[in-house]
Amino acid sequence: MGEESCSTQLIDGEGVFNVAGLEQFMKAVKLHECGLSYAVVSIMGPQSSGKSTLLNHLFGTNFREMDAFRGRSQTTKGIWLAQGEGIDPFTLIMDLEGTDGRERGEDDTAFEKQSALFALAVSDIVLINMWCHDIGREQAANKPLLKTVFQVMMRLFSPRKTTLLFVIRDKTKSPLEYLEPILREDIQKIWDNVSKPQAHRETPLSEFFNIEVVALSSYEEKEEQFKDQVASLRQRFYHSIAPGGLAGDRRGAVPASAFSYSAQQIWTVIKENRDLDLPAHKVMVATVRCEEIANEKLACLTADEDWCQLGEAVEYGLVPKFGRKLSLIVEKYLSEYDMEAIYFDEGVRNAKRQQLESKVLHLVHPAYQSMLGHLRSHTLEKFKEAFEKALNSGEGFAVAARTYAQSFMSSFDEGCADAAVEQAKWGDSSKVRDKLQRDISTYIESVRSAKLSELCAQYEEQLNRALAEPVEALLDAAGDDTWPAIRQLLKRETNSAVAGFSSALSPFEIDQITMEKMLATLEFYARNVVETKAREEAGRVLIRMKDRFSTLFTHDSDSMPRVWTGNEDIRAITKTARSASLKLLSVMAAVRLDDDADNIERTLTVALVDAGGSGAATRSITSFDPLASSRWEEDAHRRNNNWLPPAWAIAAIFVLGFNEFMALLRNPLYLGVFFVLFLLGKALWVQLDISGEFQNGALPGLISLSTKFLPTIMNLLKRLADEGQRPAAPDSRRNPAVESNGHSNGVFSDTTSVASSNTLGDKEEDSSQPLEVRSI
């Protein structure tokens, strides 16, 4: 029976813990697989009281027994550990060194207390081996042992209830029912007499210990009876940890995988002579072991081949069923942690599991982000392809944009659901979704802008083709119906373009205000085409007038070259040609896109034809020249009827206030001073190039201006002095009418010359000057 059991010395006689031996022992007996389904039984008692013999017969161990033929001496040194054979649950047996041995002498109490405390801390059941004849004796060998056990128990802050099984050896003829009350009375007396902490002054013995008593016959004298009694006692150790079993409560039990670490820590604390708090120790052991398990699982996940392949694949593109695959990998290692840590303290276990889960999710999060990034890019590209294809097939822009945007956003949501990790509650998908939605909206807006610009350009080109050449032809004909025809042409083509443009914009579902603005812009463009063409043709009006005059002067009414016989009325022909040229000028003189009536032709006729040569020569300097104004008479009349002061006067009133403004009006000298200061300041601004200097920065500009200011002032004063010393130029008398025409525009001065000549041939040098097209 004992040959199949293996034992190892857990703590040697010097108090050294055998870490390597315990690890080997646990591997040999497969203790790691037991979880909490194991029990620890230890035995204490006087030296040479048969402890090892009892354990060997009771549990099938092979502890070394005392050889009676060699005398009574110490057999067990330190603490030994073995596996109980055939016991369910798995049972660890600890054989403690005997107390009151002569080998240790008077120094045995230190190790005795340490070993007793160790046995109480790690054991579910403690066998106390004692002689029958010591019961009832005041100074029996078991009394110091019991005192030691109780005193050690008092040092535990939160002790668990341990079963103390008193084994009475070499029972005499006295029945057990007489011996047990005496033993319990002695035990209670010891309990009452030991010193207790204040917290346990009134605590009964039953709160700390389950007391059991059993008696065995003498092994040497009644061996068969001893073996039968031991076999009967062995049955009580079956299912010892089940409810109602021999073992006490299991509040301090640690999982079998942590037994080695727990035993080491307990012995270390005992050796350092510190108080031991079993619940705190339980939490400490759970903390260390759960953290070890968590780190081990995290390391295994990091090196997992499936995870490595998945992480590498997602770097290059989409991975089908990514979330499902990753969730299974994460769940695998979290489940393994749960299985290995299930028997540790629940609070510690759950806390470490949360930490492990957090680290695992932190590890896999970059891969999840990469997956979302690929999903967003893929969805956006697919949307662009589908949207462009839909537009090319003639589908409405707004309908296509709305339909495909919703479709591909739904597709993205499905992809996110497929990529989601079950254990995580990340909000990354909503952020990526918002970004995708913004990207799609931006792309739609860019395509919309491009399409609208293309449509605008298309209809502007259509208007340009429809208006430019016909307007040029109408202006070239220059008749009474020229501008009515141009207005009719403009209205017809504009309405046609606006109708087509409006129809082309309908698929875009543009709001009414924007639609009206775009149509108004197109109408303005059409009007601008006509105005631009009119100004362009007006720039060549002198050449056209000369050509028309020449044509009408040198050709008859049938457009045949004239044959001069000397009988022709040169004056009448010249007047007709001049009138035709003047008709062309009157058409070109103003843009008439509104239906307002005007007197431009009559004004030109009066000013250039009817005035005659002598009339022009004797025109008074105070007479009004209708060609000297920048606007036609009707506009000047409307402007003169405006009773409001000019804008600069209103601004001056606001800036200066009414009193200051009136003071300036009453003292014109102030205005002169301000005007001179203004001119001087403007001259300084231009000469110093202040805006250019400050382009390089404030400080460099100030430095440069400080060096240039004085020389510039001196230069201005010198130039003023030179101008004052220069002799006055002779006053040339000028014709007011000519001066007025000169200030107006070169066209009209040339035209006046044309009107006062018989031909326009000697005025070719002025044909390149432009015509100012005035507004009505």
Side-chain angles (χ1 to χ4, degrees), residues 456-472:
C456 290
Q458 175 183 342
Y459 280 91
E460 287 175 357
E461 179 64 24
Q462 174 182 329
L463 282 172
N464 197 52
R465 290 196 305 268
L467 293 174
E469 293 184 2
V471 166
E472 181 180 355

Side-chain angles (χ1 to χ4, degrees), residues 520-692:
T521 301
L522 186 63
E523 292 176 356
F524 177 79
Y525 178 82
R527 187 182 181 97
N528 190 56
V529 169
V530 174
E531 291 182 356
T532 302
K533 195 64 181 177
R535 287 183 172 85
E536 181 183 336
E537 294 300 315
R540 297 191 291 269
V541 67
L542 295 181
I543 298 177
R544 292 182 178 275
M545 290 174 65
K546 177 182 176 182
D547 291 343
R548 176 168 290 194
F549 181 89
S550 177
T551 299
L552 293 178
F553 188 80
T554 59
H555 292 74
D556 58 16
S557 58
D558 296 329
S559 299
M560 298 297 294
R562 292 184 186 275
V563 179
W564 300 98
T565 61
N567 297 324
E568 288 83 4
D569 188 353
I570 301 297
R571 183 176 299 276
I573 295 173
T574 301
K575 185 175 181 180
T576 301
R578 271 199 327 212
S579 298
S581 299
L582 192 62
K583 170 65 73 176
L584 177 62
L585 178 62
S586 65
V587 171
M588 297 289 190
V591 175
R592 302 177 183 86
L593 293 181
D594 299 323
D595 292 333
D596 299 336
D598 63 82
N599 296 320
I600 295 177
E601 184 176 0
R602 183 177 62 81
T603 302
L604 291 176
T605 301
V606 170
L608 301 178
V609 179
D610 295 344
S614 61
T618 61
R619 183 178 301 167
S620 172
I621 191 170
T622 60
S623 63
F624 174 73
D625 187 355
L627 301 182
S629 174
S630 62
R631 292 178 175 269
W632 297 106
E633 182 179 355
E634 291 80 1
D635 284 337
H637 176 69
R638 286 195 297 268
R639 212 171 56 170
N640 289 334
N641 289 336
N642 189 357
W643 57 271
L644 290 176
W648 67 266
I650 298 176
I653 292 175
F654 276 111
V655 172
L656 300 175
F658 185 76
N659 294 334
E660 289 79 359
F661 180 69
M662 294 304 297
L664 287 177
L665 293 180
R666 295 190 185 99
N667 299 277
L669 182 60
Y670 290 161
L671 291 176
V673 172
F674 287 141
F675 183 69
V676 170
L677 291 177
F678 169 74
L679 293 179
L680 180 60
K682 186 173 182 180
L684 286 175
W685 182 280
V686 174
Q687 291 294 326
L688 293 174
D689 190 19
I690 295 178
S691 59

Side-chain angles (χ1 to χ4, degrees), residues 334-382:
L334 292 180
S335 299
E336 289 182 2
Y337 169 86
D338 292 337
M339 292 179 61
E340 295 187 26
I342 189 172
Y343 300 113
F344 290 99
D345 180 81
E346 182 179 3
V348 176
R349 180 178 72 236
N350 292 339
K352 294 300 179 182
R353 189 188 193 278
Q354 290 179 359
Q355 293 179 8
L356 172 62
E357 184 174 340
S358 177
K359 291 179 180 178
V360 168
L361 295 179
H362 180 74
L363 175 66
V364 303
H365 187 250
Y368 175 73
Q369 284 186 315
S370 297
M371 181 65 185
L372 291 183
H374 292 310
L375 183 61
R376 183 190 65 81
S377 301
H378 178 77
T379 304
L380 182 59
E381 292 302 320
K382 290 296 182 183

